[in-house]
């Protein structure tokens, strides 16, 4: 197998098992039933309590399914606690008629649906057909990874090519029900995916990097527009497609995690109950400025400048730093957090966070990341 490399004229992209991507207002009502794998399919719905109790969306999907609705589990919490996964897996395992899982919500329900399929396969050898209906921009629907939180509060996960959803339905009418802060912060999570995939050493040039450039450009343009008018469904759809472009062409052959901003996100997220959209707001701009010191990463990040209306100087380090500054400005422009002091994290946690993110206790990388983490307390 030829791996993708930072050299754009050599590489391999391996598509995932995604079969359909429907997008646009009303796409769930128009297409959900035809997306089921067979006429006799029974679907189990995985979602969170807010969507189930504060919006009409879950009832709408249940009514669309009719006799094909096998049940709904709506207790999935932020960062997908393992106890809830255990409970949902047990329910699905007892019902042999279920061949499909429909996840509705953000990263936690989507990851939970993947993890339930993974666990069911461990027990029975059967994978579930997965239809994802995202209501945030966190793009979990694009990956073969499923993260969840162990009982000690630390995020862990499973991965496998069979975990990528088979169908994604981006329905802007569903996006209307997402709280504005959650929508914009997960938009910054999508930006995090786009940038970190852009400089990932094993990402493919085609189509992954090409699409991340477009994704980041659209996020820069449309997040402020959404902030100004959060009921514009065309803007919602543009942002959903940008989220997909940020990670949907990851493919199967990427090695390792996405990058330092994501590693810091996991170190900060579930241990301190900080949503991953917010961790990206806190870390991404600073990570990009730190990465500017790495010539290979800086060269890739600098490619973004023309896409966001900036001219390149020819100095990749300065150009990458400018991208970092633009990201930090965007966070402020859409009214999101840039200060870790707003959360219950003391400065005594800096070594813990740094070790968790780097896997090291000393050395140059540790010192650089420790300096970055210290800078989050501003």
């Amino acid at each position: 197998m030829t791996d993708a490399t930072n050299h754009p004229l050599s590489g391999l992209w391996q598509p995932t098992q995604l079969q359909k991507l429907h997008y646009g207002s009303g796409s769930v009502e128009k297409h959900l039933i035809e997306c089921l794998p067979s006429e006799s399919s029974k679907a189990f719905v995985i979602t969170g309590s807010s969507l189930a109790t504060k919006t009409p969306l879950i009832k709408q999907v249940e009514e669309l399914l009719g006799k094909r609705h096998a049940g709904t589990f709506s207790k999935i919490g932020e960062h997908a606690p393992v106890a809830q996964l255990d409970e949902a897996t047990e329910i699905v395992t007892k019902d042999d008629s279920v061949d499909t899982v429909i996840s509705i919500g953000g990263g936690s329900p989507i990851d939970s649906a993947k993890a339930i399929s993974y666990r069911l396969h461990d027990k029975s050898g059967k994978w579930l057909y997965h239809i994802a209906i995202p209501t945030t921009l966190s793009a979990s629907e694009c990956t073969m990874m499923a993260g969840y939180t162990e009982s000690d509060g630390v995020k862990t996960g499973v991965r496998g090519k069979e975990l990528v959803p088979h169908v994604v339905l981006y329905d802007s009418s569903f996006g209307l029900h997402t709280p504005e802060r959650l929508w914009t912060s997960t938009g910054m999570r999508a930006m995090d995916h786009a940038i970190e995939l852009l400089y990932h050493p094993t990402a493919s040039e085609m189509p992954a990097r090409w699409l991340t450039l477009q994704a980041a450009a659209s996020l820069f343009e449309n997040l402020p527009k959404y902030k100004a008018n959060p009921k514009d469904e065309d803007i919602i759809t543009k942002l959903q497609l940008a989220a997909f472009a940020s990670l949907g062409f990851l493919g199967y052959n990427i090695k390792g995690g996405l990058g330092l901003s994501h590693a810091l996100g996991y170190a900060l997220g579930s241990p301190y109950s900080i949503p991953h959209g917010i961790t990206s707001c806190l870390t991404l701009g600073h990570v990009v400025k730190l990465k500017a010191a790495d010539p290979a990463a800086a060269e890739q990040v600098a490619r973004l400048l023309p896409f966001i209306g900036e001219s390149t100087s020819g100095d990749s380090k300065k150009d990458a730093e400018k991208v970092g500054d633009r990201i930090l400005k965007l966070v402020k422009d859409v009214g999101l957090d840039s200060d870790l002091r707003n959360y219950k994290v003391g400065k005594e946690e800096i070594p813990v966070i740094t070790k968790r993110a780097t896997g090291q206790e000393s050395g140059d990388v540790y010192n650089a990341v420790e300096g970055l983490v210290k800078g989050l307390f501003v």
Side-chain angles (χ1 to χ4, degrees):
M1 183 179 88
T2 305
D3 293 325
T5 67
N6 268 336
H7 193 285
L9 300 181
S10 172
L12 168 72
W13 177 64
Q14 294 179 294
T16 68
Q17 67 182 12
L18 177 71
Q19 297 171 3
K20 294 179 183 177
L21 171 72
H22 287 289
Y23 54 92
S25 186
S27 57
V28 170
E29 187 175 356
K30 290 174 197 164
H31 301 296
L32 178 63
I33 297 305
E34 72 188 52
C35 289
L36 292 168
S38 77
E39 293 198 1
S40 59
S41 288
K42 285 287 188 75
F44 192 80
V45 176
I46 300 287
T47 190
S49 61
S50 291
L51 280 170
T53 59
K54 297 177 183 176
T55 78
L57 300 179
I58 307 309
K59 193 165 187 293
Q60 182 183 330
V61 169
E62 291 171 347
E63 288 173 355
L64 279 169
L65 289 169
K67 66 181 187 301
R68 298 175 180 192
H69 177 227
T72 296
F73 186 86
S74 60
K75 299 181 193 173
I76 299 299
E78 192 170 71
H79 300 298
V82 71
Q84 295 160 358
L85 274 186
D86 291 339
E87 191 179 342
T89 305
E90 189 66 25
I91 296 167
V92 174
T93 303
K94 287 177 178 174
D95 188 344
D96 288 338
S97 70
V98 175
D99 66 351
T100 301
V101 63
I102 299 175
S103 57
I104 308 173
S108 294
I110 296 170
D111 276 10
S112 295
K114 294 183 205 171
I116 289 163
S117 182
Y118 186 94
R119 287 156 163 239
L120 185 67
H121 179 261
D122 266 359
K123 291 182 177 182
S124 68
K126 169 175 138 184
W127 295 103
L128 294 171
Y129 193 84
H130 185 177
I131 299 173
I133 306 174
T135 61
T136 75
L137 301 172
S138 55
S140 173
E141 65 275 7
C142 297
T143 77
M144 60 178 173
M145 284 80 82
Y148 57 91
T149 305
E150 295 283 18
S151 54
D152 61 3
V154 175
K155 197 83 174 257
T156 185
V158 292
R159 63 189 289 158
K161 61 183 183 179
E162 300 86 358
L163 298 184
V164 179
H166 299 79
V167 176
V168 176
L169 292 162
Y170 287 127
D171 191 328
S172 56
S173 68
F174 275 51
L176 288 172
H177 292 272
T178 304
E180 292 172 29
R181 179 179 166 81
L182 177 59
W183 189 261
T184 51
S185 64
T186 56
M188 289 307 303
R189 187 67 174 170
M191 183 76 80
D192 204 340
H193 301 324
I195 302 288
E196 296 232 285
L197 191 53
L198 181 60
Y199 59 60
H200 196 288
T202 68
S204 64
E205 175 70 11
M206 175 57 68
R209 287 196 183 111
W210 278 43
L211 269 296
T212 63
L213 291 165
Q214 295 286 355
S218 181
L219 290 163
F220 267 106
E221 178 185 352
N222 289 302
L223 282 172
K225 289 183 179 179
Y226 172 85
K227 176 75 173 170
N229 183 8
K231 300 302 179 191
D232 185 330
E233 287 196 54
D234 285 350
I235 297 296
I236 289 172
T237 300
K238 286 178 181 180
L239 287 167
Q240 288 173 320
L241 296 180
F244 185 77
S246 77
L247 209 54
F249 297 91
L250 182 70
Y252 282 142
N253 55 304
I254 194 166
K255 290 182 169 59
L258 265 185
L260 177 57
S261 185
H262 278 72
L264 282 165
Y266 294 126
L268 289 166
S270 48
Y272 306 105
S273 299
I274 305 174
H276 276 316
I278 297 297
T279 65
S280 292
C281 294
L282 292 165
T283 62
L284 180 60
H286 298 292
V287 167
V288 169
K289 294 184 77 167
L290 183 66
K291 281 281 186 181
D294 171 356
E299 182 184 0
Q300 295 297 333
V301 173
R303 296 170 67 183
L304 183 57
L305 282 181
F307 288 82
I308 58 175
E310 301 272 6
S311 55
T312 55
S313 70
D315 183 331
S316 294
K317 184 174 188 292
K318 284 182 181 174
D319 289 348
E321 286 173 347
K322 188 187 283 190
V323 172
D325 286 331
R326 282 290 304 271
I327 292 166
L328 294 171
K329 181 179 184 297
L330 179 63
V331 171
K332 287 183 179 172
D333 288 348
V334 294
L336 293 168
D337 290 352
S338 57
D339 189 343
L340 197 51
R341 290 178 302 179
N342 295 335
Y343 297 87
K344 293 175 182 175
V345 187
K347 289 188 176 180
E348 70 279 0
E349 295 295 300
I350 290 170
V352 178
I353 295 164
T354 307
K355 181 182 175 184
R356 211 180 270 144
T358 62
Q360 300 176 18
E361 294 187 34
S362 62
D364 291 346
V365 172
Y366 179 94
N367 292 337
V369 175
E370 183 184 48
L372 189 158
V373 176
K374 285 177 180 174
L376 300 179
F377 294 87
V378 291

